[in-house]
Amino acid sequence: MASFSDTTGGGGAAGAASGRSVGVVVPQRMRFEAPLLLACGRSLAGYELAYETYGTLDAARSNAVLICHALNASHHVAGWYAGEPDNVGWWDNMVGPGKPLDTDRFFVVGVNNLGSCFGSTGPLRVNPATGAPWGADFPLVTVEDWVDAQARLADRLGIERWAAVMGGSLGGMQALDWAIRYPQRVGHALVIAAAPNLSAENIAFNEIARQAILTDPEFFDGNYYAHGVKPRRGLRVARMIGHITYLSDEQMEAKFGRQLREGLRFSFAPEFQIESYLRHQGEKFAEYFDANTYLRITKALDYFDPATRTGGNLAQALSDAVCRFLVVSFTTDWRFPPARSREIVKALVHERRDLAYAEIAAPHGHDAFLLDDPQYHAVVRAWFERIAETAQSGTGKTGTHHVFPEAGKTGTHQVFPQTPVLVGDVRENVVRPGFPRPGFSTESAQPHVQRADYATIGGWVPERARVLDLGCGDGALLAYLAAKRRATGYGIEIDDEGVLASVRNGTNVVQSDLERGLAGFEDAAFDVVILSQTLQAMRRIEAIVAEMLRVGREAIITFPNFGHWSHRLQILRGRMPVSSSLPYEWYDTPNIHLCTVADFDAFLAERGHRIVDRVVLAGGRPVAVLPNLTGELAIYRFRKA
């Protein structure tokens, strides 16, 4: 489900000159004679799949990546065809030498789904039983059918396990289904701009589009081939309806607004630029796409809902998946909004699966997954770099990793090794909310110093604890706890830079605004919830503390002590304090709720929370005398009464 019209990347022959394209590619076909049993109950006795490959399969056959396409795309993912320099693959900006999915490192396979009109067996192809095109007799297919067929293609190519399966929109649904149906054959699933199922609104849009085709006088119940016609009017309307949903209101307003073509003519001809644009898209689509294919693919979208296999429980449906997930959504995508991706994330967290979730601020609507957003491409690039580095080091190719072992989940799992944190000279610091904490260089993603409160926190976190780190920055604390305490868990981070750094460091991270609460996490889901040097930047202190104690058995909070003598002295001099623990000027500080040790003691006491431990540091060392006056950094461990 995406617009593959004027939104694809690439650059034809010019791309090859810059080394940024795979260049000329040749489509291939694979014939299968063994019957394929379909979800509808029918079987395909024999069929073909069209596909393309880019890059080189390594000797171990461990670097293969499957690309699953969306509604009206195909196996032509990257490069261009000889003599057709403008026929550029629909994800050419993503796949190629030096691109986010680097074909110098990975062997990439793009496959065309059954029922399509771009080379694989579908309504346009000849039915061997009749000698005529399948047409309306071609069976309805599902995402599950496509995945089963793709698995057979992988067998023929000698690929036992995909390093990753990746797709956007309907392609993301296929990646999700791969992780469920063939868990041991997927190392990583990249689920981009997708959803666990279609909403009623989405099904409604698909039905309106189908009705436009079904009621076209030249549809002839799907047998229009025999009449030498095509239901172009229906296809045009279907495409116009769909195309509107792929764009955001912001993008349409910026691109077209209320611009007129040649002034008002008081007619039903296209007078506004947006009308002309939609008609152009509809005309173009009607020329190259097949109506029977459109009907079947939109039905496959409607049918997809893995939770139906488990009584509506998505988490249970994902319980067999053992791969690592990258889930990406876009803020202006109203067809598959971020809330739908967060449903997937919540289910994966429930099953304690390794994941990263990035919510990309992009103005382009659903089509954003096809475009060149820098943060989006940086996250995908970092993900594949980690896969390549892990495979190169050998850490992800052998052995068995038990995901969240205390839950008893097992399975072969390609893991990103946690980066150790080096101990060094430290000084307390407070960071802007959402920015990477001191402790890792986001430039190189390499550790250079351990922050002062890490040792104290590490001493309080139980062995193999489940940890939720709020405002995790670059994931340094989680990496430290994994190395020191064998802890597992997730970080929550709002800032793009911090999310990207966490992905580069191999930390489980969920991009989210803490001010919205922790609705994606269940009660008592974690042993420890940590808010380290972020409290003072929060607006709703009471709400976040309550949420921490809801999802965790105990909470750890650290903050700079505003009651330190140096701060008091500066205030007596008539100036707002600036120090190593409060390094910002009054006009650029992110700190909106500064407090003292005494303030926080009272805050917890008034709400009946029990302090389990409290350490106040100065110069990196605990202070016992007058901590409210001499302490620079306060570290609290507390529980509900």
Side-chain angles (χ1 to χ4, degrees):
M1 178 187 296
S3 166
F4 300 98
S5 51
D6 57 349
T7 56
T8 54
S18 64
R20 298 290 295 171
S21 176
V22 297
V24 175
V25 296
V26 178
Q28 304 172 67
R29 283 184 184 169
M30 189 80 75
R31 177 77 186 176
F32 300 86
E33 298 298 342
L36 179 68
L37 179 63
L38 304 176
C40 67
R42 295 174 61 183
S43 293
L44 280 179
Y47 57 92
E48 289 184 340
L49 292 179
Y51 68 100
E52 290 178 10
T53 66
Y54 323 103
T56 303
L57 187 63
D58 63 21
R61 298 179 180 269
S62 63
N63 69 330
V65 176
L66 176 66
I67 299 294
C68 304
H69 70 75
L71 191 153
N72 54 303
S74 71
H75 54 292
H76 185 37
V77 176
W80 65 90
Y81 297 141
E84 301 179 58
D86 294 329
N87 189 356
V88 179
W90 57 269
W91 227 353
D92 189 77
N93 61 338
M94 180 68 74
V95 178
K99 295 183 181 180
L101 177 45
D102 189 349
T103 50
D104 287 338
R105 287 178 149 181
F106 293 96
F107 177 70
V108 181
V109 180
V111 60
N112 188 215
N113 289 327
L114 288 171
S116 176
C117 52
F118 294 121
S120 292
T121 298
L124 277 174
R125 303 292 297 279
V126 173
N127 180 352
T130 64
W134 277 94
D137 293 331
F138 193 82
L140 267 66
V141 288
T142 65
V143 168
E144 292 79 6
D145 297 331
W146 293 335
V147 169
D148 288 343
Q150 292 161 5
R152 291 189 179 187
L153 177 65
D155 292 340
R156 287 280 191 90
L157 295 174
I159 299 168
E160 181 180 346
R161 175 182 169 87
W162 297 104
V165 178
M166 175 183 183
S169 190
L170 177 56
M173 292 176 169
Q174 294 168 63
L176 194 64
D177 201 60
W178 258 101
I180 295 170
R181 293 172 68 78
Y182 296 94
Q184 302 301 332
R185 302 192 67 173
V186 183
H188 298 257
L190 286 79
V191 181
I192 302 171
N197 55 35
L198 286 196
S199 65
E201 182 183 54
N202 270 297
I203 295 172
F205 278 121
N206 283 348
E207 174 59 11
I208 294 170
R210 285 192 294 266
Q211 285 299 315
I213 294 170
L214 292 169
T215 57
D216 188 311
E218 296 187 330
F219 181 64
F220 291 106
D221 293 326
N223 298 307
Y224 46 88
Y225 313 122
H227 294 79
V229 296
K230 190 175 185 179
R232 287 181 172 82
R233 280 172 287 184
L235 275 170
R236 286 196 296 264
V237 174
R239 176 58 171 179
M240 290 167 70
I241 293 167
H243 202 75
I244 291 171
T245 69
Y246 306 146
L247 306 176
S248 69
D249 181 64
E250 178 182 349
Q251 184 186 27
M252 282 198 286
E253 188 63 30
K255 190 172 182 177
F256 303 106
R258 292 183 53 81
Q259 297 176 49
L260 294 168
R261 298 180 67 204
E262 299 173 352
L264 293 176
R265 298 193 173 190
F266 298 95
S267 73
F268 294 109
E271 298 173 299
F272 292 92
Q273 289 288 3
I274 184 62
E275 294 176 309
S276 178
Y277 172 77
L278 288 175
R279 292 197 187 192
H280 169 72
Q281 293 298 328
E283 292 285 353
K284 187 166 63 172
F285 184 73
E287 291 304 313
Y288 74 81
F289 211 77
D290 177 61
N292 280 319
T293 291
Y294 193 92
L295 295 175
R296 281 153 180 77
I297 295 182
T298 56
K299 268 297 181 182
L301 268 165
D302 293 354
Y303 291 153
F304 180 73
D305 187 0
T308 58
R309 308 164 201 168
T310 54
N313 189 323
L314 180 60
Q316 189 177 343
L318 286 164
S319 62
D320 289 333
V322 294
C323 67
R324 187 174 172 91
F325 287 83
L326 174 63
V327 182
V328 179
S329 69
F330 299 91
T331 54
T332 56
D333 182 353
W334 59 276
R335 186 121 202 215
F336 287 163
R340 303 309 317 278
S341 288
R342 289 196 291 269
E343 290 178 36
I344 299 172
V345 171
K346 182 177 181 179
L348 291 171
V349 168
H350 179 275
E351 294 302 312
R352 302 175 185 174
R353 292 298 176 258
D354 290 331
L355 68 90
Y357 169 60
E359 195 166 298
I360 307 298
H364 309 103
H366 187 60
D367 266 356
F369 83 91
L370 298 167
L371 303 179
D372 296 324
D373 181 87
Q375 174 71 4
Y376 164 44
H377 277 214
V379 167
V380 173
R381 180 186 299 277
W383 194 266
F384 278 109
E385 285 175 350
R386 292 290 303 192
I387 296 176
E389 290 164 6
T390 303
Q392 188 174 9
S393 67
T395 56
K397 293 163 60 177
T398 60
T400 300
H401 174 67
H402 300 286
V403 184
F404 289 88
E406 65 275 23
K409 304 292 185 181
T410 62
T412 302
H413 180 66
Q414 187 169 6
V415 195
F416 290 176
Q418 295 285 3
T419 310
V421 181
L422 303 180
V423 178
D425 294 332
V426 298
R427 72 176 178 90
E428 291 76 38
N429 199 354
V430 62
V431 295
R432 293 179 182 274
F435 276 73
R437 293 171 173 159
F440 275 76
S441 164
T442 57
E443 294 286 329
S444 62
Q446 293 298 317
H448 60 83
V449 68
Q450 174 194 332
R451 214 175 58 184
D453 51 353
Y454 283 15
T456 300
I457 294 172
W460 292 345
V461 171
E463 188 79 7
R464 297 184 181 276
R466 299 190 305 275
V467 176
L468 181 64
D469 184 11
L470 307 181
C472 70
D474 58 10
L477 178 56
L478 278 173
Y480 175 82
L481 294 174
K484 295 293 184 181
R485 308 298 291 168
R486 291 185 289 179
T488 54
Y490 303 92
I492 308 296
E493 179 57 43
I494 188 174
D495 185 71
D496 286 348
E497 185 181 351
V499 171
L500 179 56
S502 291
V503 170
R504 286 173 175 158
N505 293 331
T507 301
N508 289 336
V509 62
V510 175
Q511 187 160 22
S512 182
D513 184 355
L514 293 179
E515 301 288 3
R516 294 195 305 226
L518 303 175
F521 301 97
E522 297 171 349
D523 295 356
F526 298 91
D527 297 308
V528 183
V529 181
I530 302 171
L531 185 69
S532 180
Q533 299 201 33
T534 306
L535 179 74
Q536 68 282 355
M538 299 295 299
R539 294 185 179 278
R540 300 167 61 239
I541 302 294
E542 287 189 275
I544 194 61
V545 170
E547 280 286 84
M548 292 175 71
L549 292 173
R550 177 184 66 81
V551 304
R553 293 179 175 85
E554 64 181 32
I556 296 176
I557 286 181
T558 78
F559 59 89
N561 176 31
F562 193 69
H564 188 261
W565 65 266
S566 65
H567 303 152
R568 301 188 191 197
L569 183 60
Q570 290 181 65
I571 289 175
L572 287 174
R573 292 174 177 171
R575 299 294 300 274
M576 287 298 292
V578 176
S579 67
S580 61
S581 59
L582 292 172
Y584 300 105
E585 297 286 352
W586 64 269
Y587 51 82
D588 69 350
T589 180
N591 303 314
I592 57 177
H593 283 132
L594 295 170
C595 71
T596 69
V597 171
D599 286 330
F600 203 66
D601 282 344
F603 176 87
L604 295 178
E606 289 165 3
R607 285 150 187 82
H609 302 320
R610 180 168 63 88
I611 298 175
V612 179
D613 287 294
R614 186 192 74 178
V615 172
V616 181
L617 302 177
R621 296 178 177 83
V623 296
V625 179
L626 299 175
N628 197 44
L629 180 66
T630 61
E632 296 173 333
L633 181 69
I635 313 172
Y636 282 77
R637 177 187 179 194
F638 59 96
R639 298 174 182 168
K640 285 184 178 179

